[in-house]
Amino acid sequence: QVQLAESGGGLVQAGGSLRLSCAASGSVFSRHDMGWYRQAPGKQRELVATITSGGDTNYADSVKGRFSISRDNAKNTVYLQMNSLKPGDTAVYYCNAALLLPDATKYAYWGQGTQVTVSS
């Protein structure tokens, strides 16, 4: 079991920056692939960025060059640095932890989300 708690959301003007944090507790954090997803009103949840247990990163095209995901295994925390924010980035941002075992069993956990609002 993994418990996730996001923080760092808020209201920011277009062009501004925010850093989201996701603190994990429970199972071994370093073994999990971590990700940030977001869901805007009336839209489906979408991937923003992921970072594997080995540190490989992946980004949605819409945030490439503006957002950066990182992790600190010593602090059991994953971060999402968001720069040059746009009103279209407004959404609830969710932290995700995923673990794929050798037998193909997959575990996935979600945080409760943190609201990010970007004003124009």
Side-chain angles (χ1 to χ4, degrees):
Q1 281 282 351
V2 176
Q3 293 79 44
L4 303 172
E6 302 99 333
S7 62
L11 173 64
V12 64
Q13 288 188 331
S17 298
L18 282 175
R19 188 174 83 154
L20 305 183
S21 299
C22 173
S25 61
S27 188
V28 179
F29 174 80
S30 61
R31 295 177 58 195
H32 289 74
D33 296 338
M34 302 297 297
W36 287 96
Y37 293 72
R38 67 187 182 187
Q39 187 167 17
K43 296 187 177 181
Q44 290 193 339
R45 191 172 298 187
E46 63 177 5
L47 180 148
V48 176
T50 60
I51 184 167
T52 68
S53 59
D56 294 328
T57 58
N58 181 56
Y59 297 91
D61 288 343
S62 60
V63 306
K64 282 181 181 177
R66 300 188 298 122
F67 291 11
S68 177
I69 188 171
S70 61
R71 65 190 297 162
D72 185 337
N73 290 338
K75 295 183 178 180
N76 286 2
T77 301
V78 63
Y79 304 97
L80 184 68
Q81 178 67 43
M82 305 186 294
N83 300 325
S84 302
L85 282 160
K86 305 175 181 179
D89 295 318
T90 295
V92 178
Y93 283 70
Y94 296 91
C95 180
N96 170 268
L99 178 63
L100 180 63
L101 298 181
D103 66 358
T105 301
K106 184 174 182 178
Y107 296 91
Y109 307 93
W110 293 92
Q112 293 187 327
T114 184
Q115 176 71 47
V116 172
T117 303
V118 184
S119 63
S120 58

mmCIF file with all atom_site columns, all heavy atoms in Angstrom, residues 31-57:
data_model
loop_
_atom_site.group_PDB
_atom_site.id
_atom_site.type_symbol
_atom_site.label_atom_id
_atom_site.label_alt_id
_atom_site.label_comp_id
_atom_site.label_asym_id
_atom_site.label_entity_id
_atom_site.label_seq_id
_atom_site.pdbx_PDB_ins_code
_atom_site.Cartn_x
_atom_site.Cartn_y
_atom_site.Cartn_z
_atom_site.occupancy
_atom_site.B_iso_or_equiv
_atom_site.pdbx_formal_charge
_atom_site.auth_seq_id
_atom_site.auth_comp_id
_atom_site.auth_asym_id
_atom_site.auth_atom_id
_atom_site.pdbx_PDB_model_num
ATOM 1   N N   . ARG A 1 31 ? 10.887  1.958  -5.572  1.00 0.00 ? 31 ARG A N   1
ATOM 2   C CA  . ARG A 1 31 ? 10.553  0.912  -6.535  1.00 0.00 ? 31 ARG A CA  1
ATOM 3   C C   . ARG A 1 31 ? 9.431   1.313  -7.475  1.00 0.00 ? 31 ARG A C   1
ATOM 4   O O   . ARG A 1 31 ? 9.183   0.635  -8.469  1.00 0.00 ? 31 ARG A O   1
ATOM 5   C CB  . ARG A 1 31 ? 10.145  -0.358 -5.791  1.00 0.00 ? 31 ARG A CB  1
ATOM 6   C CG  . ARG A 1 31 ? 11.234  -0.996 -4.964  1.00 0.00 ? 31 ARG A CG  1
ATOM 7   C CD  . ARG A 1 31 ? 10.699  -2.192 -4.219  1.00 0.00 ? 31 ARG A CD  1
ATOM 8   N NE  . ARG A 1 31 ? 10.146  -3.193 -5.122  1.00 0.00 ? 31 ARG A NE  1
ATOM 9   C CZ  . ARG A 1 31 ? 9.361   -4.196 -4.739  1.00 0.00 ? 31 ARG A CZ  1
ATOM 10  N NH1 . ARG A 1 31 ? 9.017   -4.318 -3.466  1.00 0.00 ? 31 ARG A NH1 1
ATOM 11  N NH2 . ARG A 1 31 ? 8.909   -5.069 -5.606  1.00 0.00 ? 31 ARG A NH2 1
ATOM 12  N N   . HIS A 1 32 ? 8.750   2.415  -7.143  1.00 0.00 ? 32 HIS A N   1
ATOM 13  C CA  . HIS A 1 32 ? 7.568   2.795  -7.896  1.00 0.00 ? 32 HIS A CA  1
ATOM 14  C C   . HIS A 1 32 ? 7.883   3.792  -8.997  1.00 0.00 ? 32 HIS A C   1
ATOM 15  O O   . HIS A 1 32 ? 8.694   4.699  -8.818  1.00 0.00 ? 32 HIS A O   1
ATOM 16  C CB  . HIS A 1 32 ? 6.525   3.419  -6.966  1.00 0.00 ? 32 HIS A CB  1
ATOM 17  C CG  . HIS A 1 32 ? 5.886   2.434  -6.044  1.00 0.00 ? 32 HIS A CG  1
ATOM 18  N ND1 . HIS A 1 32 ? 6.539   1.910  -4.952  1.00 0.00 ? 32 HIS A ND1 1
ATOM 19  C CD2 . HIS A 1 32 ? 4.648   1.874  -6.062  1.00 0.00 ? 32 HIS A CD2 1
ATOM 20  C CE1 . HIS A 1 32 ? 5.733   1.065  -4.336  1.00 0.00 ? 32 HIS A CE1 1
ATOM 21  N NE2 . HIS A 1 32 ? 4.583   1.025  -4.979  1.00 0.00 ? 32 HIS A NE2 1
ATOM 22  N N   . ASP A 1 33 ? 7.226   3.625  -10.135 1.00 0.00 ? 33 ASP A N   1
ATOM 23  C CA  . ASP A 1 33 ? 7.179   4.673  -11.131 1.00 0.00 ? 33 ASP A CA  1
ATOM 24  C C   . ASP A 1 33 ? 6.164   5.703  -10.645 1.00 0.00 ? 33 ASP A C   1
ATOM 25  O O   . ASP A 1 33 ? 5.108   5.340  -10.128 1.00 0.00 ? 33 ASP A O   1
ATOM 26  C CB  . ASP A 1 33 ? 6.732   4.123  -12.495 1.00 0.00 ? 33 ASP A CB  1
ATOM 27  C CG  . ASP A 1 33 ? 7.721   3.118  -13.070 1.00 0.00 ? 33 ASP A CG  1
ATOM 28  O OD1 . ASP A 1 33 ? 8.901   3.145  -12.671 1.00 0.00 ? 33 ASP A OD1 1
ATOM 29  O OD2 . ASP A 1 33 ? 7.296   2.303  -13.906 1.00 0.00 ? 33 ASP A OD2 1
ATOM 30  N N   . MET A 1 34 ? 6.498   6.974  -10.816 1.00 0.00 ? 34 MET A N   1
ATOM 31  C CA  . MET A 1 34 ? 5.641   8.038  -10.314 1.00 0.00 ? 34 MET A CA  1
ATOM 32  C C   . MET A 1 34 ? 5.155   8.913  -11.467 1.00 0.00 ? 34 MET A C   1
ATOM 33  O O   . MET A 1 34 ? 5.855   9.058  -12.483 1.00 0.00 ? 34 MET A O   1
ATOM 34  C CB  . MET A 1 34 ? 6.389   8.901  -9.305  1.00 0.00 ? 34 MET A CB  1
ATOM 35  C CG  . MET A 1 34 ? 6.925   8.133  -8.106  1.00 0.00 ? 34 MET A CG  1
ATOM 36  S SD  . MET A 1 34 ? 5.618   7.379  -7.114  1.00 0.00 ? 34 MET A SD  1
ATOM 37  C CE  . MET A 1 34 ? 4.730   8.835  -6.559  1.00 0.00 ? 34 MET A CE  1
ATOM 38  N N   . GLY A 1 35 ? 4.001   9.497  -11.285 1.00 0.00 ? 35 GLY A N   1
ATOM 39  C CA  . GLY A 1 35 ? 3.486   10.343 -12.351 1.00 0.00 ? 35 GLY A CA  1
ATOM 40  C C   . GLY A 1 35 ? 2.569   11.432 -11.841 1.00 0.00 ? 35 GLY A C   1
ATOM 41  O O   . GLY A 1 35 ? 2.075   11.363 -10.710 1.00 0.00 ? 35 GLY A O   1
ATOM 42  N N   . TRP A 1 36 ? 2.402   12.423 -12.672 1.00 0.00 ? 36 TRP A N   1
ATOM 43  C CA  . TRP A 1 36 ? 1.423   13.483 -12.439 1.00 0.00 ? 36 TRP A CA  1
ATOM 44  C C   . TRP A 1 36 ? 0.405   13.441 -13.573 1.00 0.00 ? 36 TRP A C   1
ATOM 45  O O   . TRP A 1 36 ? 0.776   13.354 -14.752 1.00 0.00 ? 36 TRP A O   1
ATOM 46  C CB  . TRP A 1 36 ? 2.090   14.851 -12.394 1.00 0.00 ? 36 TRP A CB  1
ATOM 47  C CG  . TRP A 1 36 ? 2.890   15.102 -11.162 1.00 0.00 ? 36 TRP A CG  1
ATOM 48  C CD1 . TRP A 1 36 ? 4.227   14.941 -10.989 1.00 0.00 ? 36 TRP A CD1 1
ATOM 49  C CD2 . TRP A 1 36 ? 2.383   15.552 -9.902  1.00 0.00 ? 36 TRP A CD2 1
ATOM 50  N NE1 . TRP A 1 36 ? 4.596   15.264 -9.715  1.00 0.00 ? 36 TRP A NE1 1
ATOM 51  C CE2 . TRP A 1 36 ? 3.476   15.651 -9.020  1.00 0.00 ? 36 TRP A CE2 1
ATOM 52  C CE3 . TRP A 1 36 ? 1.103   15.907 -9.435  1.00 0.00 ? 36 TRP A CE3 1
ATOM 53  C CZ2 . TRP A 1 36 ? 3.343   16.072 -7.703  1.00 0.00 ? 36 TRP A CZ2 1
ATOM 54  C CZ3 . TRP A 1 36 ? 0.972   16.327 -8.126  1.00 0.00 ? 36 TRP A CZ3 1
ATOM 55  C CH2 . TRP A 1 36 ? 2.073   16.407 -7.277  1.00 0.00 ? 36 TRP A CH2 1
ATOM 56  N N   . TYR A 1 37 ? -0.854  13.512 -13.191 1.00 0.00 ? 37 TYR A N   1
ATOM 57  C CA  . TYR A 1 37 ? -1.956  13.566 -14.138 1.00 0.00 ? 37 TYR A CA  1
ATOM 58  C C   . TYR A 1 37 ? -2.804  14.778 -13.787 1.00 0.00 ? 37 TYR A C   1
ATOM 59  O O   . TYR A 1 37 ? -2.695  15.314 -12.681 1.00 0.00 ? 37 TYR A O   1
ATOM 60  C CB  . TYR A 1 37 ? -2.799  12.283 -14.055 1.00 0.00 ? 37 TYR A CB  1
ATOM 61  C CG  . TYR A 1 37 ? -2.081  11.048 -14.527 1.00 0.00 ? 37 TYR A CG  1
ATOM 62  C CD1 . TYR A 1 37 ? -1.062  10.476 -13.775 1.00 0.00 ? 37 TYR A CD1 1
ATOM 63  C CD2 . TYR A 1 37 ? -2.415  10.444 -15.735 1.00 0.00 ? 37 TYR A CD2 1
ATOM 64  C CE1 . TYR A 1 37 ? -0.386  9.346  -14.210 1.00 0.00 ? 37 TYR A CE1 1
ATOM 65  C CE2 . TYR A 1 37 ? -1.748  9.300  -16.181 1.00 0.00 ? 37 TYR A CE2 1
ATOM 66  C CZ  . TYR A 1 37 ? -0.740  8.765  -15.411 1.00 0.00 ? 37 TYR A CZ  1
ATOM 67  O OH  . TYR A 1 37 ? -0.081  7.638  -15.850 1.00 0.00 ? 37 TYR A OH  1
ATOM 68  N N   . ARG A 1 38 ? -3.642  15.186 -14.711 1.00 0.00 ? 38 ARG A N   1
ATOM 69  C CA  . ARG A 1 38 ? -4.534  16.303 -14.412 1.00 0.00 ? 38 ARG A CA  1
ATOM 70  C C   . ARG A 1 38 ? -5.896  16.081 -15.049 1.00 0.00 ? 38 ARG A C   1
ATOM 71  O O   . ARG A 1 38 ? -6.023  15.369 -16.040 1.00 0.00 ? 38 ARG A O   1
ATOM 72  C CB  . ARG A 1 38 ? -3.935  17.629 -14.888 1.00 0.00 ? 38 ARG A CB  1
ATOM 73  C CG  . ARG A 1 38 ? -3.814  17.771 -16.405 1.00 0.00 ? 38 ARG A CG  1
ATOM 74  C CD  . ARG A 1 38 ? -3.048  19.043 -16.747 1.00 0.00 ? 38 ARG A CD  1
ATOM 75  N NE  . ARG A 1 38 ? -2.937  19.245 -18.192 1.00 0.00 ? 38 ARG A NE  1
ATOM 76  C CZ  . ARG A 1 38 ? -2.196  20.204 -18.750 1.00 0.00 ? 38 ARG A CZ  1
ATOM 77  N NH1 . ARG A 1 38 ? -1.507  21.050 -17.989 1.00 0.00 ? 38 ARG A NH1 1
ATOM 78  N NH2 . ARG A 1 38 ? -2.155  20.317 -20.075 1.00 0.00 ? 38 ARG A NH2 1
ATOM 79  N N   . GLN A 1 39 ? -6.881  16.713 -14.436 1.00 0.00 ? 39 GLN A N   1
ATOM 80  C CA  . GLN A 1 39 ? -8.245  16.621 -14.948 1.00 0.00 ? 39 GLN A CA  1
ATOM 81  C C   . GLN A 1 39 ? -8.897  17.982 -14.863 1.00 0.00 ? 39 GLN A C   1
ATOM 82  O O   . GLN A 1 39 ? -9.076  18.531 -13.770 1.00 0.00 ? 39 GLN A O   1
ATOM 83  C CB  . GLN A 1 39 ? -9.063  15.588 -14.172 1.00 0.00 ? 39 GLN A CB  1
ATOM 84  C CG  . GLN A 1 39 ? -10.426 15.327 -14.774 1.00 0.00 ? 39 GLN A CG  1
ATOM 85  C CD  . GLN A 1 39 ? -11.095 14.091 -14.191 1.00 0.00 ? 39 GLN A CD  1
ATOM 86  O OE1 . GLN A 1 39 ? -10.710 13.593 -13.132 1.00 0.00 ? 39 GLN A OE1 1
ATOM 87  N NE2 . GLN A 1 39 ? -12.083 13.563 -14.885 1.00 0.00 ? 39 GLN A NE2 1
ATOM 88  N N   . ALA A 1 40 ? -9.223  18.510 -16.019 1.00 0.00 ? 40 ALA A N   1
ATOM 89  C CA  . ALA A 1 40 ? -9.923  19.790 -16.098 1.00 0.00 ? 40 ALA A CA  1
ATOM 90  C C   . ALA A 1 40 ? -11.433 19.538 -16.090 1.00 0.00 ? 40 ALA A C   1
ATOM 91  O O   . ALA A 1 40 ? -11.882 18.440 -16.436 1.00 0.00 ? 40 ALA A O   1
ATOM 92  C CB  . ALA A 1 40 ? -9.524  20.537 -17.367 1.00 0.00 ? 40 ALA A CB  1
ATOM 93  N N   . PRO A 1 41 ? -12.224 20.528 -15.716 1.00 0.00 ? 41 PRO A N   1
ATOM 94  C CA  . PRO A 1 41 ? -13.685 20.349 -15.678 1.00 0.00 ? 41 PRO A CA  1
ATOM 95  C C   . PRO A 1 41 ? -14.222 19.880 -17.026 1.00 0.00 ? 41 PRO A C   1
ATOM 96  O O   . PRO A 1 41 ? -13.904 20.458 -18.069 1.00 0.00 ? 41 PRO A O   1
ATOM 97  C CB  . PRO A 1 41 ? -14.190 21.738 -15.313 1.00 0.00 ? 41 PRO A CB  1
ATOM 98  C CG  . PRO A 1 41 ? -13.063 22.370 -14.580 1.00 0.00 ? 41 PRO A CG  1
ATOM 99  C CD  . PRO A 1 41 ? -11.817 21.853 -15.233 1.00 0.00 ? 41 PRO A CD  1
ATOM 100 N N   . GLY A 1 42 ? -15.016 18.825 -17.001 1.00 0.00 ? 42 GLY A N   1
ATOM 101 C CA  . GLY A 1 42 ? -15.637 18.322 -18.220 1.00 0.00 ? 42 GLY A CA  1
ATOM 102 C C   . GLY A 1 42 ? -14.725 17.519 -19.115 1.00 0.00 ? 42 GLY A C   1
ATOM 103 O O   . GLY A 1 42 ? -15.125 17.115 -20.207 1.00 0.00 ? 42 GLY A O   1
ATOM 104 N N   . LYS A 1 43 ? -13.493 17.275 -18.666 1.00 0.00 ? 43 LYS A N   1
ATOM 105 C CA  . LYS A 1 43 ? -12.534 16.531 -19.483 1.00 0.00 ? 43 LYS A CA  1
ATOM 106 C C   . LYS A 1 43 ? -12.059 15.290 -18.752 1.00 0.00 ? 43 LYS A C   1
ATOM 107 O O   . LYS A 1 43 ? -12.191 15.177 -17.530 1.00 0.00 ? 43 LYS A O   1
ATOM 108 C CB  . LYS A 1 43 ? -11.346 17.418 -19.853 1.00 0.00 ? 43 LYS A CB  1
ATOM 109 C CG  . LYS A 1 43 ? -11.698 18.596 -20.734 1.00 0.00 ? 43 LYS A CG  1
ATOM 110 C CD  . LYS A 1 43 ? -10.450 19.320 -21.186 1.00 0.00 ? 43 LYS A CD  1
ATOM 111 C CE  . LYS A 1 43 ? -10.784 20.463 -22.135 1.00 0.00 ? 43 LYS A CE  1
ATOM 112 N NZ  . LYS A 1 43 ? -9.552  21.169 -22.607 1.00 0.00 ? 43 LYS A NZ  1
ATOM 113 N N   . GLN A 1 44 ? -11.487 14.365 -19.522 1.00 0.00 ? 44 GLN A N   1
ATOM 114 C CA  . GLN A 1 44 ? -10.942 13.167 -18.919 1.00 0.00 ? 44 GLN A CA  1
ATOM 115 C C   . GLN A 1 44 ? -9.587  13.452 -18.291 1.00 0.00 ? 44 GLN A C   1
ATOM 116 O O   . GLN A 1 44 ? -8.884  14.398 -18.668 1.00 0.00 ? 44 GLN A O   1
ATOM 117 C CB  . GLN A 1 44 ? -10.806 12.068 -19.984 1.00 0.00 ? 44 GLN A CB  1
ATOM 118 C CG  . GLN A 1 44 ? -12.146 11.523 -20.463 1.00 0.00 ? 44 GLN A CG  1
ATOM 119 C CD  . GLN A 1 44 ? -11.983 10.249 -21.270 1.00 0.00 ? 44 GLN A CD  1
ATOM 120 O OE1 . GLN A 1 44 ? -10.909 9.965  -21.807 1.00 0.00 ? 44 GLN A OE1 1
ATOM 121 N NE2 . GLN A 1 44 ? -13.039 9.462  -21.362 1.00 0.00 ? 44 GLN A NE2 1
ATOM 122 N N   . ARG A 1 45 ? -9.217  12.615 -17.333 1.00 0.00 ? 45 ARG A N   1
ATOM 123 C CA  . ARG A 1 45 ? -7.903  12.729 -16.724 1.00 0.00 ? 45 ARG A CA  1
ATOM 124 C C   . ARG A 1 45 ? -6.842  12.417 -17.773 1.00 0.00 ? 45 ARG A C   1
ATOM 125 O O   . ARG A 1 45 ? -6.984  11.461 -18.537 1.00 0.00 ? 45 ARG A O   1
ATOM 126 C CB  . ARG A 1 45 ? -7.788  11.780 -15.541 1.00 0.00 ? 45 ARG A CB  1
ATOM 127 C CG  . ARG A 1 45 ? -6.581  11.997 -14.669 1.00 0.00 ? 45 ARG A CG  1
ATOM 128 C CD  . ARG A 1 45 ? -6.632  11.142 -13.419 1.00 0.00 ? 45 ARG A CD  1
ATOM 129 N NE  . ARG A 1 45 ? -7.773  11.475 -12.581 1.00 0.00 ? 45 ARG A NE  1
ATOM 130 C CZ  . ARG A 1 45 ? -7.950  10.958 -11.363 1.00 0.00 ? 45 ARG A CZ  1
ATOM 131 N NH1 . ARG A 1 45 ? -7.083  10.109 -10.864 1.00 0.00 ? 45 ARG A NH1 1
ATOM 132 N NH2 . ARG A 1 45 ? -9.007  11.301 -10.655 1.00 0.00 ? 45 ARG A NH2 1
ATOM 133 N N   . GLU A 1 46 ? -5.782  13.215 -17.788 1.00 0.00 ? 46 GLU A N   1
ATOM 134 C CA  . GLU A 1 46 ? -4.729  13.026 -18.778 1.00 0.00 ? 46 GLU A CA  1
ATOM 135 C C   . GLU A 1 46 ? -3.356  13.020 -18.127 1.00 0.00 ? 46 GLU A C   1
ATOM 136 O O   . GLU A 1 46 ? -3.143  13.646 -17.081 1.00 0.00 ? 46 GLU A O   1
ATOM 137 C CB  . GLU A 1 46 ? -4.774  14.139 -19.834 1.00 0.00 ? 46 GLU A CB  1
ATOM 138 C CG  . GLU A 1 46 ? -4.521  15.527 -19.309 1.00 0.00 ? 46 GLU A CG  1
ATOM 139 C CD  . GLU A 1 46 ? -4.501  16.589 -20.409 1.00 0.00 ? 46 GLU A CD  1
ATOM 140 O OE1 . GLU A 1 46 ? -4.768  16.263 -21.571 1.00 0.00 ? 46 GLU A OE1 1
ATOM 141 O OE2 . GLU A 1 46 ? -4.197  17.756 -20.077 1.00 0.00 ? 46 GLU A OE2 1
ATOM 142 N N   . LEU A 1 47 ? -2.439  12.322 -18.772 1.00 0.00 ? 47 LEU A N   1
ATOM 143 C CA  . LEU A 1 47 ? -1.070  12.262 -18.283 1.00 0.00 ? 47 LEU A CA  1
ATOM 144 C C   . LEU A 1 47 ? -0.384  13.597 -18.480 1.00 0.00 ? 47 LEU A C   1
ATOM 145 O O   . LEU A 1 47 ? -0.534  14.243 -19.523 1.00 0.00 ? 47 LEU A O   1
ATOM 146 C CB  . LEU A 1 47 ? -0.317  11.158 -19.017 1.00 0.00 ? 47 LEU A CB  1
ATOM 147 C CG  . LEU A 1 47 ? 1.144   10.933 -18.655 1.00 0.00 ? 47 LEU A CG  1
ATOM 148 C CD1 . LEU A 1 47 ? 1.495   9.462  -18.801 1.00 0.00 ? 47 LEU A CD1 1
ATOM 149 C CD2 . LEU A 1 47 ? 2.076   11.771 -19.509 1.00 0.00 ? 47 LEU A CD2 1
ATOM 150 N N   . VAL A 1 48 ? 0.364   14.023 -17.468 1.00 0.00 ? 48 VAL A N   1
ATOM 151 C CA  . VAL A 1 48 ? 1.174   15.229 -17.575 1.00 0.00 ? 48 VAL A CA  1
ATOM 152 C C   . VAL A 1 48 ? 2.655   14.845 -17.701 1.00 0.00 ? 48 VAL A C   1
ATOM 153 O O   . VAL A 1 48 ? 3.331   15.265 -18.628 1.00 0.00 ? 48 VAL A O   1
ATOM 154 C CB  . VAL A 1 48 ? 0.973   16.143 -16.361 1.00 0.00 ? 48 VAL A CB  1
ATOM 155 C CG1 . VAL A 1 48 ? 1.903   17.350 -16.435 1.00 0.00 ? 48 VAL A CG1 1
ATOM 156 C CG2 . VAL A 1 48 ? -0.491  16.590 -16.260 1.00 0.00 ? 48 VAL A CG2 1
ATOM 157 N N   . ALA A 1 49 ? 3.130   14.045 -16.756 1.00 0.00 ? 49 ALA A N   1
ATOM 158 C CA  . ALA A 1 49 ? 4.537   13.659 -16.753 1.00 0.00 ? 49 ALA A CA  1
ATOM 159 C C   . ALA A 1 49 ? 4.713   12.422 -15.894 1.00 0.00 ? 49 ALA A C   1
ATOM 160 O O   . ALA A 1 49 ? 3.959   12.218 -14.933 1.00 0.00 ? 49 ALA A O   1
ATOM 161 C CB  . ALA A 1 49 ? 5.419   14.781 -16.225 1.00 0.00 ? 49 ALA A CB  1
ATOM 162 N N   . THR A 1 50 ? 5.691   11.606 -16.253 1.00 0.00 ? 50 THR A N   1
ATOM 163 C CA  . THR A 1 50 ? 6.019   10.431 -15.455 1.00 0.00 ? 50 THR A CA  1
ATOM 164 C C   . THR A 1 50 ? 7.527   10.344 -15.261 1.00 0.00 ? 50 THR A C   1
ATOM 165 O O   . THR A 1 50 ? 8.303   10.889 -16.059 1.00 0.00 ? 50 THR A O   1
ATOM 166 C CB  . THR A 1 50 ? 5.533   9.129  -16.116 1.00 0.00 ? 50 THR A CB  1
ATOM 167 O OG1 . THR A 1 50 ? 6.155   8.995  -17.396 1.00 0.00 ? 50 THR A OG1 1
ATOM 168 C CG2 . THR A 1 50 ? 4.024   9.118  -16.277 1.00 0.00 ? 50 THR A CG2 1
ATOM 169 N N   . ILE A 1 51 ? 7.910   9.665  -14.200 1.00 0.00 ? 51 ILE A N   1
ATOM 170 C CA  . ILE A 1 51 ? 9.318   9.388  -13.942 1.00 0.00 ? 51 ILE A CA  1
ATOM 171 C C   . ILE A 1 51 ? 9.400   7.959  -13.419 1.00 0.00 ? 51 ILE A C   1
ATOM 172 O O   . ILE A 1 51 ? 8.702   7.601  -12.471 1.00 0.00 ? 51 ILE A O   1
ATOM 173 C CB  . ILE A 1 51 ? 9.937   10.423 -12.972 1.00 0.00 ? 51 ILE A CB  1
ATOM 174 C CG1 . ILE A 1 51 ? 11.431  10.152 -12.806 1.00 0.00 ? 51 ILE A CG1 1
ATOM 175 C CG2 . ILE A 1 51 ? 9.199   10.469 -11.642 1.00 0.00 ? 51 ILE A CG2 1
ATOM 176 C CD1 . ILE A 1 51 ? 12.171  11.314 -12.127 1.00 0.00 ? 51 ILE A CD1 1
ATOM 177 N N   . THR A 1 52 ? 10.255  7.167  -14.042 1.00 0.00 ? 52 THR A N   1
ATOM 178 C CA  . THR A 1 52 ? 10.364  5.769  -13.637 1.00 0.00 ? 52 THR A CA  1
ATOM 179 C C   . THR A 1 52 ? 11.211  5.637  -12.378 1.00 0.00 ? 52 THR A C   1
ATOM 180 O O   . THR A 1 52 ? 11.847  6.606  -11.924 1.00 0.00 ? 52 THR A O   1
ATOM 181 C CB  . THR A 1 52 ? 10.992  4.930  -14.755 1.00 0.00 ? 52 THR A CB  1
ATOM 182 O OG1 . THR A 1 52 ? 12.362  5.323  -14.899 1.00 0.00 ? 52 THR A OG1 1
ATOM 183 C CG2 . THR A 1 52 ? 10.258  5.105  -16.067 1.00 0.00 ? 52 THR A CG2 1
ATOM 184 N N   . SER A 1 53 ? 11.229  4.429  -11.837 1.00 0.00 ? 53 SER A N   1
ATOM 185 C CA  . SER A 1 53 ? 12.076  4.181  -10.670 1.00 0.00 ? 53 SER A CA  1
ATOM 186 C C   . SER A 1 53 ? 13.545  4.425  -11.011 1.00 0.00 ? 53 SER A C   1
ATOM 187 O O   . SER A 1 53 ? 14.339  4.761  -10.127 1.00 0.00 ? 53 SER A O   1
ATOM 188 C CB  . SER A 1 53 ? 11.871  2.757  -10.173 1.00 0.00 ? 53 SER A CB  1
ATOM 189 O OG  . SER A 1 53 ? 12.190  1.819  -11.195 1.00 0.00 ? 53 SER A OG  1
ATOM 190 N N   . GLY A 1 54 ? 13.892  4.296  -12.282 1.00 0.00 ? 54 GLY A N   1
ATOM 191 C CA  . GLY A 1 54 ? 15.267  4.528  -12.715 1.00 0.00 ? 54 GLY A CA  1
ATOM 192 C C   . GLY A 1 54 ? 15.568  5.965  -13.096 1.00 0.00 ? 54 GLY A C   1
ATOM 193 O O   . GLY A 1 54 ? 16.710  6.290  -13.445 1.00 0.00 ? 54 GLY A O   1
ATOM 194 N N   . GLY A 1 55 ? 14.547  6.827  -13.063 1.00 0.00 ? 55 GLY A N   1
ATOM 195 C CA  . GLY A 1 55 ? 14.758  8.242  -13.332 1.00 0.00 ? 55 GLY A CA  1
ATOM 196 C C   . GLY A 1 55 ? 14.439  8.687  -14.751 1.00 0.00 ? 55 GLY A C   1
ATOM 197 O O   . GLY A 1 55 ? 14.621  9.864  -15.075 1.00 0.00 ? 55 GLY A O   1
ATOM 198 N N   . ASP A 1 56 ? 13.962  7.792  -15.594 1.00 0.00 ? 56 ASP A N   1
ATOM 199 C CA  . ASP A 1 56 ? 13.581  8.197  -16.951 1.00 0.00 ? 56 ASP A CA  1
ATOM 200 C C   . ASP A 1 56 ? 12.275  8.985  -16.914 1.00 0.00 ? 56 ASP A C   1
ATOM 201 O O   . ASP A 1 56 ? 11.349  8.619  -16.196 1.00 0.00 ? 56 ASP A O   1
ATOM 202 C CB  . ASP A 1 56 ? 13.408  6.971  -17.845 1.00 0.00 ? 56 ASP A CB  1
ATOM 203 C CG  . ASP A 1 56 ? 14.717  6.233  -18.079 1.00 0.00 ? 56 ASP A CG  1
ATOM 204 O OD1 . ASP A 1 56 ? 15.776  6.898  -18.112 1.00 0.00 ? 56 ASP A OD1 1
ATOM 205 O OD2 . ASP A 1 56 ? 14.688  4.992  -18.212 1.00 0.00 ? 56 ASP A OD2 1
ATOM 206 N N   . THR A 1 57 ? 12.212  10.047 -17.695 1.00 0.00 ? 57 THR A N   1
ATOM 207 C CA  . THR A 1 57 ? 11.047  10.924 -17.666 1.00 0.00 ? 57 THR A CA  1
ATOM 208 C C   . THR A 1 57 ? 10.305  10.927 -19.007 1.00 0.00 ? 57 THR A C   1
ATOM 209 O O   . THR A 1 57 ? 10.888  10.637 -20.059 1.00 0.00 ? 57 THR A O   1
ATOM 210 C CB  . THR A 1 57 ? 11.450  12.363 -17.321 1.00 0.00 ? 57 THR A CB  1
ATOM 211 O OG1 . THR A 1 57 ? 12.398  12.826 -18.298 1.00 0.00 ? 57 THR A OG1 1
ATOM 212 C CG2 . THR A 1 57 ? 12.077  12.439 -15.940 1.00 0.00 ? 57 THR A CG2 1
#
